[in-house]
Amino acid sequence: MINQNIITCCLVVFFLTSSHISTAVELKAHGIVDIRASSTNSLDEGYLVGGQGKFGSNDGQQLSIAQAGVELSAQWENGFSAHGVLNAYLAGLENDEDRAAGITEAYIKYKGLPNASGYRIQIKGGIFYPEISLENNAYAWASKNTLNSSTLNTWLGEEIRVLGSEFKVTRLGRMNNDAFDLSLSATAFINNDPAGALIAWHGWTMSSRQTLWGEAREFPWFPALADGAPLAKQADKSEPFLEIDDNAGYHVRAEWSLHGKGELSAGYYDNKAIPYQEIDGQYGWRTRFYHLGARWRISKSLSLTAQYLSGSTLMQSPLKEDMVNNDYSSGFVSLTYQWQGFFGSEKSGNKKHKSTLRLEDFSVTDNDNTWGDNNNEDGQALTLNHSYRLSKHWFLSAEFNYIDSHRPARYYTYKPADLVEKQLQLAARYFF
Amino acid sequence: MNNKVITLFFLLLSVLITPESSSAASCNSESMNNTCVQIFVNGKTGQALANMVVYLEPLDGQILTRSSKEVVVAQLGKSFTPYLSVSQVNSKVSFVNQDDITHHIYSVDSNNKFSFRIRAGQTNASETFGHVADVAMGCNIHDWMSGYLLIVNTPYFGKTDTQGQVSFNIAQQGKYNVVIWHPQLKNDNNRLSKTASIIANSTFTFTLKNEITTPTTQENEDDFDFLSDY
């Protein structure tokens, strides 16, 4: 929390002073307010409050501010810019389900101009998301076409965030008579050592909630946490953004994009955490995964987005015995159809109606023999979204999510291993 | 019935005479002392090519009045509008951002290197172009944006219309280099040229040997209005 206050102070001071340093600076504030009504058919408690439900909200009806996010930036002529992203959530007024506000990203970026051969360098330093999600590219990491992100990206929003520096080289095809651009990026980072705990202990989930920097997250109870059991030392909440062992991790990514058509990307993340180190009940989890992404415009009105992520996580006792050793994967394919031109624009992203269908498959495979901690999971999900652009800034959305999952760990809290959960949401989203 | 026939007749007549009369009109609008030159640009299979840049370079030391055209390179709908602009050396070129977002316009051409951020609604006329050049422009925020500014040392420049035709009023007859330019033209320096003595009512037709590669549309595959530019 102190950490977060310092960052907030720095950001405020930075924005107040930056406008005086140079007249060439441009200050911008963009964001989203997402007001949502949801009806959830799930377990009593959703995963955000430490339950076994896969949605962010508990069983029943709920009115919430599903996201109030703002992206502040200061951008200079010379290619330097500073960015701060703040997010706030307000749900479940009656029983204090989820109320939080804080920083999700804060970084400084330098984006050079391309040279005559079309090569451009970009350097970024601070707190940020490794570039993986193809859904959460609207302001403040909001999902563009759906209300709930896919299980893959919900996990990234929950556990994957780094304090690091990213170096990126882009080769622009325009200067080389090629119809495609290529980019390669490499990030060295710290402060993401406990990542993996939540995917192990509540599995894949689906919401639009991002973990704030410094925030601790709950997970369901399981017998291995009991006194004298193998995981008794584990704190009752996990803090994904800690540095436990002073080992730097890395993320590399390559992207090929064909002008006006789409892009293909692949990357690899490894937090290089020492899996048997622990500080105040927070363990290092050696988490590594590869990810693949594709975004393709099939026609002017139909576009496809697909992502796949697969990897492993390992957490050990001080005696280097495996306590949690999991493999996991999640993938989705989504199709978005847009129609009826709006504001005289025939460009696809700004049509009046937008319908999205998303299909997902996810799993966690438990490879260890720890008593009272079965992390196995297998499931599928379906999302249907229709969004209507009411005016330039307002979007009305209706979304239906369906998750069918098998998770034996639910027995620990007397819940069924096989479960079908459904959610219907109505949202008014204001982008500015 | 009669009326219809008459209407049809006039329609036919207008269709037949339109191309001729329009080009003649553009030439006649200037002083009677001028010489009209018409240039046609056709593709490999003979089809008329629109938006091909054509310019005439004087070769006999003709003294020509400077072009009074002020070129406006607009940024509209996250694209350079028009895609191709032409200007005479040292003429005023204005960059006008008609979008409601900031652009960062640049050129990496060695003789005409420039870069500036231009906010919504702003105009930048501070760049000067003192050399003959093909200036390829981009936007460092929106990589798919691509536009060209051709700087020529003659007041006689223009772009072909949908009939593949452009005409000029030449004040002084004599030898000229007639040049066709397009950034996607598969020729040396993206040009086709022909030296010619221009006399009254000269007409030149250029037929490309290679098909011109269609320029990539200045369109992003994802053009939602509220994307975070990471």
Side-chain angles (χ1 to χ4, degrees):
Chain A
M1 215 50 196
I2 294 165
N3 203 358
Q4 200 164 322
N5 286 338
I6 291 168
I7 296 168
T8 314
C9 282
C10 287
L11 275 175
V12 170
V13 169
F14 182 79
F15 281 103
L16 289 176
T17 52
S18 59
S19 56
H20 300 292
I21 295 168
S22 160
T23 48
V25 68
E26 183 179 8
L27 301 177
K28 289 201 276 193
H30 286 297
I32 176 181
V33 177
D34 180 338
I35 302 156
R36 222 181 279 184
S38 65
S39 175
T40 310
N41 184 343
S42 174
L43 299 174
D44 291 344
E45 292 188 324
Y47 81 94
L48 284 177
V49 290
Q52 296 272 20
K54 294 215 160 287
F55 292 118
S57 39
N58 299 345
D59 189 62
Q61 277 71 43
Q62 193 186 54
L63 196 65
S64 66
I65 293 172
Q67 184 180 13
V70 62
E71 252 184 59
L72 302 169
S73 70
Q75 305 189 7
W76 286 268
E77 280 288 325
N78 58 12
F80 280 94
S81 58
H83 305 255
V85 186
L86 310 168
N87 272 295
Y89 303 91
L90 182 59
L93 287 166
E94 283 164 23
N95 49 4
D96 203 13
E97 268 172 35
D98 185 26
R99 290 190 212 180
I103 288 161
T104 48
E105 292 182 273
Y107 56 89
I108 288 170
K109 187 166 100 173
Y110 169 75
K111 187 180 189 181
L113 283 172
N115 65 16
S117 325
Y119 287 89
R120 179 178 60 204
I121 284 168
Q122 180 182 297
I123 302 164
K124 196 161 139 177
I127 298 162
F128 54 86
Y129 281 100
E131 200 179 345
I132 302 172
S133 173
L134 297 182
E135 294 183 308
N136 307 79
N137 45 8
Y139 295 137
W141 216 71
S143 171
K144 182 169 60 93
N145 295 333
T146 56
L147 299 176
N148 280 346
S149 296
S150 61
T151 54
L152 190 162
N153 290 316
T154 301
W155 179 54
L156 297 181
E158 185 176 41
E159 283 203 292
I160 305 299
R161 199 91 40 86
V162 300
L163 171 59
S165 47
E166 180 202 72
F167 182 82
K168 184 175 184 176
V169 180
T170 304
R171 178 190 180 272
L172 295 171
R174 206 160 53 73
M175 274 89 141
N176 294 286
N177 282 325
D178 287 327
F180 58 87
D181 297 340
L182 284 171
S183 74
L184 287 171
S185 66
T187 306
F189 67 83
I190 53 170
N191 279 67
N192 207 192
D193 287 343
L198 296 169
I199 192 90
W201 291 333
H202 64 42
W204 296 98
T205 57
M206 187 189 273
S207 77
S208 55
R209 178 68 152 84
Q210 303 169 58
T211 304
L212 306 168
W213 188 256
E215 197 180 18
R217 301 295 289 270
E218 294 183 56
F219 50 84
W221 182 86
F222 53 94
L225 291 170
D227 284 347
L231 287 160
K233 268 187 118 177
Q234 168 65 43
D236 60 354
K237 288 183 180 181
S238 180
E239 296 178 44
F241 313 134
L242 293 179
E243 183 53 42
I244 307 284
D245 55 21
D246 295 330
N247 260 8
Y250 68 92
H251 175 237
V252 288
R253 180 179 184 271
E255 181 187 308
W256 174 85
S257 66
L258 189 62
H259 297 164
K261 273 295 181 190
E263 64 180 56
L264 301 174
S265 59
Y268 187 75
Y269 165 104
D270 185 346
N271 70 358
K272 300 273 276 177
I274 297 174
Y276 46 85
Q277 285 212 358
E278 172 263 337
I279 298 173
D280 297 334
Q282 301 290 338
Y283 286 81
W285 291 64
R286 179 75 189 272
T287 293
R288 39 196 153 164
F289 57 83
Y290 70 87
H291 56 89
L292 304 170
R295 184 155 53 192
W296 210 257
R297 201 154 113 176
I298 298 164
S299 74
K300 274 213 175 265
S301 36
L302 186 66
S303 57
L304 173 131
T305 306
Q307 277 187 265
Y308 181 72
L309 181 153
S310 178
S312 65
T313 186
L314 177 68
M315 184 256 234
Q316 295 175 317
S317 71
L319 300 170
K320 302 183 189 175
E321 297 156 333
D322 289 4
M323 291 200 285
V324 183
N325 180 342
N326 292 340
D327 292 329
Y328 49 83
S329 67
S330 178
F332 71 88
V333 177
S334 77
L335 281 170
T336 298
Y337 185 74
Q338 306 179 75
W339 74 93
Q340 197 178 328
F342 202 39
F343 301 117
S345 166
E346 278 310 304
K347 295 200 167 181
S348 63
N350 301 303
K351 288 183 178 176
K352 212 165 183 175
H353 291 276
K354 182 160 73 176
S355 298
T356 300
L357 161 71
R358 182 177 62 204
L359 297 169
E360 299 180 55
D361 188 79
F362 56 84
S363 70
V364 178
T365 308
D366 190 328
N367 302 313
D368 59 80
N369 298 314
T370 304
W371 171 85
D373 181 29
N374 185 342
N375 307 131
N376 282 311
E377 176 171 274
D378 186 29
Q380 289 79 38
L382 163 85
T383 296
L384 293 169
N385 177 295
H386 184 79
S387 294
Y388 172 76
R389 191 175 190 177
L390 189 65
S391 65
K392 186 173 180 359
H393 297 280
W394 281 101
F395 293 75
L396 300 179
S397 302
E399 181 168 303
F400 172 71
N401 307 109
Y402 179 97
I403 307 175
D404 183 352
S405 66
H406 172 77
R407 185 172 178 81
R410 282 194 281 251
Y411 277 139
Y412 300 143
T413 51
Y414 310 104
K415 304 284 192 282
D418 289 298
L419 184 67
V420 169
E421 295 160 273
K422 293 175 215 162
Q423 189 173 53
L424 185 65
Q425 302 181 91
L426 298 172
R429 301 208 293 174
Y430 180 81
F431 286 94
F432 59 95
Chain B
M1 198 62 177
N2 261 346
N3 277 347
K4 274 191 179 170
V5 171
I6 292 164
T7 316
L8 204 66
F9 174 76
F10 277 109
L11 266 176
L12 259 173
L13 194 72
S14 66
V15 166
L16 284 171
I17 62 170
T18 301
E20 289 290 324
S21 59
S22 70
S23 54
S26 63
C27 273
N28 288 340
S29 61
E30 299 280 325
S31 155
M32 291 302 283
N33 299 329
N34 286 354
T35 304
C36 182
V37 188
Q38 272 184 292
I39 289 128
F40 292 88
V41 183
N42 296 328
K44 196 180 171 187
T45 51
Q47 81 281 19
L49 291 179
N51 287 314
M52 301 293 289
V53 172
V54 180
Y55 61 95
L56 311 180
E57 290 175 319
L59 296 175
D60 282 344
Q62 297 97 318
I63 312 292
L64 307 173
T65 321
R66 279 190 63 77
S67 166
S68 56
K69 280 183 203 165
E70 275 188 21
V71 174
V72 173
V73 179
Q75 292 84 56
L76 178 63
K78 293 177 198 155
S79 52
F80 282 100
T81 314
Y83 172 56
L84 305 179
S85 302
V86 194
S87 173
Q88 191 169 1
V89 169
N90 291 322
S91 289
K92 190 177 170 189
V93 178
S94 300
F95 292 85
V96 182
N97 183 356
Q98 297 172 356
D99 281 331
D100 59 359
I101 48 160
T102 300
H103 289 295
H104 187 168
I105 308 303
Y106 70 86
S107 152
V108 295
D109 178 82
S110 50
N111 288 324
N112 292 284
K113 214 174 239 177
F114 65 85
S115 146
F116 55 85
R117 287 172 68 87
I118 183 166
R119 296 188 202 183
Q122 280 189 346
T123 296
N124 182 324
S126 62
E127 300 304 324
T128 52
F129 298 91
H131 306 275
V132 168
D134 312 356
V135 183
M137 300 173 293
C139 171
N140 211 30
I141 299 169
H142 312 104
D143 280 341
W144 63 89
M145 286 175 67
S146 169
Y148 287 83
L149 175 64
L150 180 74
I151 309 292
V152 292
N153 200 4
T154 171
Y156 302 139
F157 57 82
K159 281 190 274 184
T160 55
D161 59 15
T162 47
Q163 273 89 45
Q165 184 256 335
V166 62
S167 50
F168 300 101
N169 279 299
I170 305 294
Q172 289 189 36
Q173 299 190 352
K175 238 185 195 175
Y176 284 86
N177 193 23
V178 184
V179 187
I180 313 295
W181 176 83
H182 192 281
Q184 275 78 37
L185 192 62
K186 287 183 200 153
N187 271 73
D188 286 351
N189 292 319
N190 310 111
R191 281 168 172 79
L192 259 183
S193 64
K194 182 185 287 186
T195 305
S197 287
I198 291 179
I199 48 161
N201 295 320
S202 299
T203 300
F204 301 97
T205 301
F206 285 81
T207 304
L208 306 190
K209 287 199 184 73
N210 301 313
E211 280 310 338
I212 189 160
T213 49
T214 33
T216 318
T217 48
Q218 297 181 64
E219 216 170 279
N220 188 22
E221 68 274 8
D222 194 349
D223 49 17
F224 183 61
D225 275 343
F226 306 100
L227 290 180
S228 182
D229 34 275
Y230 274 89

